[in-house]
Amino acid sequence: MLVDYILVGQGLAGSILANHLINAGCSVMVFDDPLLSNSSKIAGGLYNPVTGRKMVKTWNADNLFGYLTDYYPKLQQQLEADFVNDIPIYRPFISPEELNEWMGKSADIDYSRYVQAVHNSSAYGSQVSDDFGGILLNQSGFVDTGKLLEVSAKFLVERKSLTKGYFNPAHLKLEEGFASYQGIKCKSVVFCNGHKSLEEQYFGWIPLRPVKGELLIIKTKENLRVIHNRGVFVIPLGNGLCKVGSTYDHQNLDEKPTIEAKNVLVHKLNELVKFPYEIEYQLAGVRPATKDRKPIIGQHPKFKSLISFNGFGTKGVSLVPYYAKQLTEFLTNENGIDSEVNIERFFSLY
């Protein structure tokens, strides 16, 4: 069997890259082991142009959001499913100084496109603690990543482009200009397998810094029309359910929910919201973050038919579409990969 590309992993990275390659006229075979972890299935799915404690524009926001706001609606249409939710994010201010800072930033062309409103007094005081007002962001929302993966799998199955089962790198055969695996010959094998790449022979050296994240699903009678985000995010899922997250644990990298993380999330949630709620259940997963918080994309230093598409961490929903487009152009037209995400920046570690 001959295909253009083999992809390892059908998480968010593998699903969206496969879609880009197929739309570019390429044939793919995606290998996915349902028994292995997949942090994409339980991710918060948030896309947010202003992030962090200091509330600054996320890295490369103009390129990322300029592309994803166009791409995701088209992907929904192609996959005939709804999984994207455009919802404003409301971030309460914690001081008058922060309010004053954002009164100025909202007029700055670098930020104005992402700011729907700056409130100088409480705007959602019945729901959250916002004595100093807050900022309402646009070009924001969340992707139901579980639904996206489900319909992407169906899309691939219909094209006979998905194999369920473990991909064993030890069985790869590499020759000049191509690779083969279990009778399938291709131009390149793209590893989109998150932190599991650390366990295999070809990309085990890349400096991933896996981080465990835990989420709560809560139920409330409060009618939430925005995503509240300060300390934790509270995403309204419908039917009174909300997703609350997230924690960051670099030490304990199993996928079991912990009481410690639950207590942290409840404490932060109670500091933010005023409405009553009940905890339905708790989730945990391990994200493939990196030490410099940027993806790791490009060819293996020795085996040019092997490609890394990894390290998207907590912002995969924002990062993956733009860089899937860039990698597709690299593979099909030999266009360059941005130096900030290019795997070449870590070749000294190989």
Side-chain angles (χ1 to χ4, degrees), residues 68-79:
L68 74 83
T69 52
D70 181 61
Y71 172 72
Y72 278 126
K74 291 180 179 177
L75 181 63
Q76 285 192 130
Q77 186 175 20
Q78 185 175 11
L79 299 183

Side-chain angles (χ1 to χ4, degrees), residues 338-349:
D338 290 350
S339 59
E340 289 181 292
V341 302
N342 199 311
I343 193 173
E344 292 178 359
R345 70 193 193 275
F346 295 123
F347 275 5
S348 63
L349 301 178

Side-chain angles (χ1 to χ4, degrees), residues 329-342:
E329 292 173 348
F330 171 79
L331 293 172
T332 58
N333 297 317
E334 298 185 353
N335 289 9
I337 296 171
D338 290 350
S339 59
E340 289 181 292
V341 302
N342 199 311

Side-chain angles (χ1 to χ4, degrees), residues 109-177:
I109 191 171
D110 285 340
Y111 281 88
S112 59
R113 73 186 74 179
Y114 304 114
V115 178
Q116 188 175 133
V118 177
H119 296 279
N120 59 12
S121 60
S122 177
Y124 293 88
S126 64
Q127 296 180 348
V128 296
S129 300
D130 65 341
D131 294 344
F132 303 107
I135 183 173
L136 195 64
L137 301 169
N138 55 28
Q139 295 194 45
S140 61
F142 73 98
V143 172
D144 182 340
T145 52
K147 182 70 173 295
L148 188 157
L149 299 191
E150 178 187 336
V151 295
S152 293
K154 180 182 176 183
F155 178 81
L156 293 169
V157 167
E158 289 172 349
R159 286 155 182 77
K160 298 182 179 179
S161 296
L162 180 63
T163 297
K164 288 291 185 180
Y166 174 63
F167 183 93
N168 189 343
H171 296 163
L172 260 175
K173 295 180 181 179
L174 304 176
E175 298 187 37
E176 187 68 30

Side-chain angles (χ1 to χ4, degrees), residues 221-235:
K221 294 181 180 178
E222 191 71 26
N223 184 21
L224 302 181
R225 298 185 180 277
V226 299
I227 296 169
H228 292 299
N229 186 7
R230 193 78 205 213
V232 290
F233 56 72
V234 183
I235 300 174

